[in-house]
Amino acid sequence: MQRPGDLGKGRFAARLRAAAVVLALAPALGGCFITQTFQRGYVIPEGALDQIPLGASQEQVLIVLGTPSTVATISGEVFYYISQRTEQTSFLPQKETDRRVVAVYFDKNRKVERLANYGIRDGKLFDYVSRTTPSGGEQQSIIGFFGKVFHM
């Protein structure tokens, strides 16, 4: 016959076994929630834009930044360096965390006229170099095109 004190010991032993199972499975289940970061396109080296002064030649830009993702020749030449960063946690779909378009504008003598580092801030296109939102015109339509193509 079972004594009243034995019933408490049985519950304690069951709880102890359950805790041991949870502790044994915790590392395996913890590995299920790994977040990976993916970088696509051009990765701008730290301080690279600081190495390109206004008036620098196209050759200097190519040495510092490398081959552009694409080139535009509308009203002067522009080099575009395009990148996207996404994160994925375990089996969940990838989520975009950042998208950038670095634009190097040249004058008719192929010297750097202006630099821009476009991204999204507060849901709007934003230039991280001049800290402004671009206005309309050809520049806006080109950046808008990249935004549509790359879902900015």
Side-chain angles (χ1 to χ4, degrees), residues 54-88:
L54 296 179
S57 67
Q58 276 188 348
E59 292 77 26
Q60 240 180 311
V61 173
L62 290 170
I63 289 169
V64 173
L65 295 179
T67 305
S69 304
T70 189
V71 176
T73 56
I74 300 172
S75 69
E77 198 161 0
V78 185
F79 287 0
Y80 292 104
Y81 297 86
I82 305 166
S83 68
Q84 177 187 41
R85 186 177 314 136
T86 59
E87 288 182 351
Q88 183 177 20

Side-chain angles (χ1 to χ4, degrees), residues 41-62:
Y42 183 79
V43 179
I44 302 170
E46 188 69 34
L49 294 180
D50 297 332
Q51 296 179 28
I52 303 173
L54 296 179
S57 67
Q58 276 188 348
E59 292 77 26
Q60 240 180 311
V61 173
L62 290 170

Side-chain angles (χ1 to χ4, degrees), residues 52-58 60-61 103-107 109-115:
I52 303 173
L54 296 179
S57 67
Q58 276 188 348
Q60 240 180 311
V61 173
V104 183
Y105 297 91
F106 298 97
D107 62 17
N109 298 319
R110 295 186 171 192
K111 301 290 183 187
V112 174
E113 184 175 63
R114 186 166 71 85
L115 291 172

Side-chain angles (χ1 to χ4, degrees), residues 1-102:
M1 187 162 155
Q2 218 175 22
R3 289 183 274 173
D6 291 342
L7 187 59
K9 288 180 186 175
R11 287 184 185 156
F12 177 75
R15 287 183 181 166
L16 188 60
R17 279 191 300 270
V21 168
V22 168
L23 287 174
L25 291 177
L29 293 176
C32 291
F33 298 104
I34 295 174
T35 299
Q36 294 180 325
T37 301
F38 300 97
Q39 180 76 39
R40 292 181 180 88
Y42 183 79
V43 179
I44 302 170
E46 188 69 34
L49 294 180
D50 297 332
Q51 296 179 28
I52 303 173
L54 296 179
S57 67
Q58 276 188 348
E59 292 77 26
Q60 240 180 311
V61 173
L62 290 170
I63 289 169
V64 173
L65 295 179
T67 305
S69 304
T70 189
V71 176
T73 56
I74 300 172
S75 69
E77 198 161 0
V78 185
F79 287 0
Y80 292 104
Y81 297 86
I82 305 166
S83 68
Q84 177 187 41
R85 186 177 314 136
T86 59
E87 288 182 351
Q88 183 177 20
T89 301
S90 302
F91 53 85
L92 298 174
Q94 285 187 17
K95 181 176 83 172
E96 184 176 22
T97 56
D98 190 30
R99 180 176 305 139
R100 295 294 172 102
V101 176
V102 172

